[in-house]
Amino acid sequence: MPRYARHLYRDGPHNPFPGLKALERRLGREIPHRLGSNEGLDMPHQALSQRFGDEVATLARSYSDAEAFGLRQRLATLLDIPLDTLLVDAGADSLIALALRATCEPDNVVIASAGTYPTFGYFAVGQGCDLQEVPYQNRPGVLAPNLAALAKAANRHHARLVYLANPDNPGGHLHEDQAIAALRQSLPEDCTLLLDEAYFDFRSDASTPSSTAVWPGVIRVRTFSKAHGLAGLRIGYAIAAPECLEMLQKVRIHYAVSSLAQAAAETVLDHADEVQAHIAAVIDRRERLTAWLRELGGDVPDSATNFVALRMPSADLAACVHAELLDAGTLVHRPPHPALGHVLRISTLEDALKPERLNALEKALQGAF
Ligand SMILES: Cc1ncc(COP(=O)(O)O)c(C=O)c1O
């Protein structure tokens, strides 16, 4: 079986609009007179400038750099990996959709954990794939994707793609790199491992070399939505072998990432101290929230993310607490998948630690619900 959708093995399709920035780089000089792209370059943008400043108005007028060169350069330096192993797109979600588009044809089997980040299954089914789910390791203190079960299902079904969030959502569990490498080894050679690392930056070993390794047959997907606080601007990146990224490029929406999103991500990366301080604050709050919930008798697995998962004694109780919190104006997340209906996932913002904020939850844990 081929690793990618069969039609992508032909020559093309070739992006008809690589864009002005790519042309400037190829020519080695600027093109000052931009009469070829029909942008509204002469739009005065008084209202936009007044509200957001001149720079936002300037960025807004032009098509972005489809190759996100400046951002990829920064990432390549930061992660110490070659430029051609990086691809920037409109968030991890877009990259998940892109990986599916490049690898799968209708009726291909894809594998995921039952109850994991549901956007993967939503996109996979929307593309006509056959989604096969395997249960989590789900017992007191542990809510973790079952790597052996994922591998077994992939081999049994000759799957085209296996999805794994690491660290996981909603459990927060982190599988070590060795376990991921072993999972890759145990998958069929032509099956791609889509490794969703949206919460990568919260790992304590985020700066070790293996955490940025380019593994054959693996697409690592990351985002600026979490540790970098840019969820509203839609930007993320993939790390994969160059030949894999070439296939993804064939079906990518070339201007999906705006110039503003690219400039914002570059700026945030250029201020690494601010990002690191934010991550440290999140981890501190996560540990305090975990300790508090455990003191109340809650079953809270260790989390390597910016949220904690609380396993309630039953799905009914979790639904009641969820509804009562919502009545009081607080939204925590209860996974929609029936397999994880007993789980409540809480973002580790300062607000979560306010004494009154999670009142209904506290009552429930103390048996007074
Ligand atoms: C595991 C996982 N992947 C992807 C995403 C989406 O990331 P993005 O905002 O970059 O699309 C999320 C967001 O919650 C997530 O939890």
Side-chain angles (χ1 to χ4, degrees):
M1 198 163 59
R3 187 187 286 281
Y4 302 100
R6 269 167 306 182
H7 58 277
L8 297 183
Y9 286 92
R10 301 181 203 130
D11 183 33
H14 302 285
N15 176 3
F17 293 117
L20 178 117
K21 301 279 179 211
L23 183 57
E24 283 182 337
R25 276 191 293 276
R26 192 153 57 75
L27 297 176
R29 60 183 159 84
E30 266 190 50
I31 304 170
H33 307 291
R34 292 156 49 187
L35 307 181
S37 319
N38 306 341
E39 298 139 310
L41 295 179
D42 49 357
M43 169 69 180
H45 268 327
Q46 281 158 7
L48 212 58
S49 290
Q50 252 174 26
R51 181 159 179 201
F52 298 110
D54 289 343
E55 197 174 351
V56 167
T58 303
L59 287 167
R61 286 189 194 95
S62 307
Y63 285 112
S64 61
D65 179 357
E67 295 174 350
F69 192 75
L71 181 57
R72 283 169 52 238
Q73 261 190 329
R74 282 169 174 79
L75 286 167
T77 307
L78 183 74
L79 304 172
D80 196 20
I81 51 177
L83 197 66
D84 60 1
T85 59
L86 284 159
L87 180 147
V88 170
D89 204 31
D93 282 355
S94 272
L95 287 155
I96 291 170
L98 187 58
L100 280 163
R101 212 154 53 234
T103 56
C104 292
E105 297 169 45
D107 298 328
N108 282 168
V109 176
V110 298
I111 313 284
S113 304
T116 191
Y117 182 59
T119 302
F120 171 73
Y122 168 58
F123 287 167
V125 172
Q127 202 179 304
C129 296
D130 174 2
L131 173 67
Q132 297 286 329
E133 298 181 310
V134 302
Y136 269 88
Q137 298 177 57
N138 189 356
R139 56 178 189 275
V142 178
L143 181 59
N146 185 335
L147 303 190
L150 288 168
K152 196 169 162 202
N155 282 291
R156 177 156 23 96
H157 294 285
H158 306 291
R160 187 60 74 90
L161 197 97
V162 169
Y163 172 84
L164 175 70
N166 193 52
D168 175 56
N169 177 2
H173 183 87
L174 173 70
H175 281 293
E176 299 299 332
D177 291 337
Q178 262 181 339
I180 302 297
L183 169 65
R184 174 57 268 181
Q185 280 275 313
S186 61
L187 296 178
E189 206 279 324
D190 48 17
C191 169
T192 296
L193 175 59
L194 177 55
L195 193 60
D196 182 342
E197 299 185 315
Y199 299 96
F200 165 83
D201 301 278
F202 299 102
R203 289 176 60 158
S204 53
D205 61 350
S207 54
T208 60
S210 69
S211 66
T212 54
V214 182
W215 286 318
V218 181
I219 302 174
R220 307 180 82 159
V221 165
R222 300 198 182 153
T223 182
F224 284 90
S225 294
K226 312 291 176 186
H228 303 86
L230 296 179
L233 290 182
R234 313 304 307 131
I235 186 158
Y237 61 96
I239 302 173
E243 53 277 17
C244 168
L245 296 184
E246 270 171 36
M247 288 303 210
L248 266 58
Q249 288 288 13
K250 288 187 176 208
V251 288
R252 195 175 91 78
I253 298 172
H254 36 286
Y255 292 127
V257 187
S258 69
S259 3
L260 180 59
Q262 290 184 35
E266 287 174 11
T267 305
V268 172
L269 281 190
D270 289 345
H271 293 82
D273 287 355
E274 195 180 345
V275 178
Q276 287 315 317
H278 171 238
I279 291 171
V282 169
I283 291 174
D284 174 63
R285 286 195 298 268
R286 184 185 74 204
E287 298 314 304
R288 282 191 284 143
L289 187 60
T290 302
W292 177 66
L293 291 169
R294 284 180 182 163
E295 269 166 36
L296 291 172
D299 179 0
V300 184
D302 288 339
S303 168
T305 66
N306 65 351
F307 58 79
V308 296
L310 172 67
R311 293 155 37 100
M312 299 297 284
S314 73
D316 284 348
L317 186 56
C320 280
V321 172
H322 185 260
E324 184 155 315
L325 286 171
L326 191 54
D327 274 352
T330 298
L331 181 64
V332 299
H333 181 70
R334 181 168 169 250
H337 198 291
L340 297 188
H342 60 305
V343 172
L344 295 175
R345 197 195 67 201
I346 308 163
S347 301
T348 55
L349 296 169
E350 198 58 51
D351 198 25
L353 288 154
K354 288 199 177 134
E356 70 281 11
R357 188 63 60 234
L358 297 172
N359 244 340
L361 186 55
E362 192 173 350
K363 268 196 300 168
L365 289 175
Q366 289 169 337
F369 201 84

